Amino acid sequence: MTTWPDLLPSLQPWVSEVRGQLIPNQSLAEMTTLRVGGPAQLFFRPVDEADLAFFLKNLPAEIKVTVVGLGSNLLIRDGGLDGVVIRLPAKGFGEIEILDGHRVRVGTAVPDVKVATAAAEAGIDGLWFYRGIPGGIGGALYMNAGCYKTETMDRMVELRAITRQGETVTLTNADMGYRYRKSNGPRGAVFVSATYQGFPGDPATILEEMRTVTERRESTQPTRAKTAGSTFKNPEGHSSWKLIDEAGGRGYTFGRAQMSEMHSNFLINMGEADAFEVETVGETIRQKVRDKHGIELRWEVRRIGHFVPGREVREFMDGEPFTGQV
């Protein structure tokens, strides 16, 4: 297993005032739904916003910071991550507050489904689409998560974040520069809460719609498998799953990883796969689609971290190996 030099000695004496949990070489595989990936050089779980702000303010600027949420749209490579990995806990970052004017304010550690349910029960329509998205609000804000023709950008009013310099800022929807499955907010900022705008609705009707979403997902997607959800973005005018099917990619297997037989745009870990096997399946599928259709699929799953030497994955399986982080 990869191990990193311990960062904690270099952060003395100020790090002793940090109240949250600090763990050198913490395994990250258990923190992703794919269940793959190496360790974090230093893992940090802050107690609250003040603890997070203090840590970021004092952390030397040259040390890399990566934020990991519920890990549902994430592939961490087997070499792990250097620098600091931050994960916000539900205690301190998991509140849901119903506001006047059919608004909801939520912490970024809250799972998407809980936001959908809380809003529905309060008679707030417009957020039910989060029932169809695995993961947490932090990740949804970062990647403009969406489904059923509604995206995060359609409902998010503003969010609070702690900058890399330890300052608390409020960002508007416009500040985030949202696009399809992408945002362009301040580099290095850690999102801590967000406010959403819904509209009046009948709780029973909204909850019934959510039940329909759940049934649709469970009948068409491998929701119980170790998966990161939809693997590739839909190219303009196309559906990724259909392109993959036509290129013969459904069920493609390498090692212990597979392109799902149930839904061909879902990469799954069939047992004890490593990140190398999972990413190799993805890149092979990209090659198959390019060869068949001349279309280059783009990853929706966020891939981060370092390769283990000798087990680098090549783009489209015929280019130069990736280096560093994507």
Side-chain angles (χ1 to χ4, degrees):
M1 175 178 160
T2 301
T3 56
W4 295 97
D6 190 351
L7 271 180
L8 282 176
S10 68
L11 303 182
Q12 297 293 347
W14 65 268
V15 77
S16 61
E17 298 181 47
V18 173
R19 292 173 288 128
Q21 193 176 27
L22 290 161
I23 307 174
N25 280 294
Q26 167 67 46
S27 172
L28 296 173
E30 64 200 58
M31 299 183 192
T32 73
T33 54
L34 270 170
R35 295 293 190 266
V36 299
Q41 186 170 13
L42 180 62
F43 177 77
F44 176 43
R45 185 183 283 114
V47 170
D48 51 30
E49 287 187 28
D51 193 36
L52 174 62
F54 175 83
F55 180 85
L56 290 173
K57 180 179 180 180
N58 287 278
L59 187 71
E62 64 271 15
I63 296 179
K64 188 184 303 178
V65 172
T66 305
V67 181
V68 171
L70 298 185
S72 65
N73 191 57
L74 190 63
L75 192 164
I76 298 175
R77 294 184 174 122
D78 299 314
L81 294 160
D82 57 319
V84 176
V85 173
I86 298 174
R87 193 183 201 198
L88 305 183
K91 187 176 181 180
F93 300 89
E95 291 188 358
I96 301 177
E97 184 180 2
I98 304 300
L99 306 176
D100 293 336
H102 303 98
R103 290 189 171 192
V104 184
R105 181 186 297 127
V106 298
T108 50
V110 179
D112 299 334
V113 62
K114 285 193 174 184
V115 175
T117 302
E121 291 175 346
I124 299 175
D125 204 347
L127 294 173
W128 60 268
F129 74 99
Y130 269 151
R131 181 62 187 89
I133 303 174
I137 290 299
L141 292 167
Y142 176 82
M143 67 166 289
N144 187 26
C147 63
Y148 305 118
K149 300 182 179 180
T150 307
E151 297 177 299
T152 296
M153 65 178 289
D154 299 324
R155 300 288 180 260
M156 194 278 282
V157 178
E158 64 181 26
L159 63 82
R160 279 168 54 86
I162 310 296
T163 69
R164 185 63 175 79
Q165 294 72 41
E167 299 174 343
T168 301
V169 297
T170 298
L171 303 171
T172 66
N173 190 304
D175 291 333
M176 291 298 292
Y178 280 125
R179 289 182 286 164
Y180 175 62
R181 300 296 176 267
K182 190 173 183 180
S183 66
N184 192 30
R187 194 169 181 83
V190 181
F191 306 152
V192 294
S193 68
T195 301
Y196 291 87
Q197 178 68 63
F199 49 90
D202 173 62
T205 302
I206 305 168
L207 289 168
E208 180 59 35
E209 180 63 35
M210 287 168 54
R211 276 190 286 273
T212 301
V213 169
T214 301
E215 292 169 2
R216 193 182 311 168
R217 282 190 68 231
E218 291 182 349
S219 66
T220 60
Q221 300 174 7
T223 57
R224 301 184 190 282
K226 299 175 184 177
T227 178
S230 295
T231 305
F232 302 109
K233 300 176 183 179
N234 289 324
E236 179 125 10
H238 299 276
S239 294
S240 290
W241 73 266
K242 189 173 183 181
L243 294 173
I244 294 168
D245 265 8
E246 292 171 354
R250 183 181 291 265
Y252 176 82
T253 302
F254 174 78
R256 297 157 291 183
Q258 182 188 68
M259 218 67 204
S260 172
E261 294 273 11
M262 186 177 193
H263 192 304
S264 56
N265 194 28
F266 277 64
L267 247 173
I268 61 174
N269 176 351
M270 296 190 296
E272 301 301 322
D274 58 22
F276 171 77
E277 292 170 328
V278 173
E279 193 168 1
T280 295
V281 170
E283 285 301 324
T284 303
I285 293 299
R286 293 183 73 207
Q287 180 182 336
K288 285 177 176 291
V289 171
R290 187 182 66 171
D291 291 347
K292 174 72 174 179
H293 300 287
I295 295 173
E296 295 190 358
L297 292 180
R298 296 188 179 277
W299 286 83
E300 182 168 322
V301 173
R302 183 184 177 208
R303 297 165 297 150
I304 58 176
H306 295 272
F307 293 112
V308 170
R311 288 173 69 80
E312 296 87 1
V313 180
R314 297 174 181 270
E315 186 170 17
F316 294 113
M317 301 308 298
D318 64 358
E320 291 300 313
F322 292 125
T323 57
Q325 296 188 199
V326 173

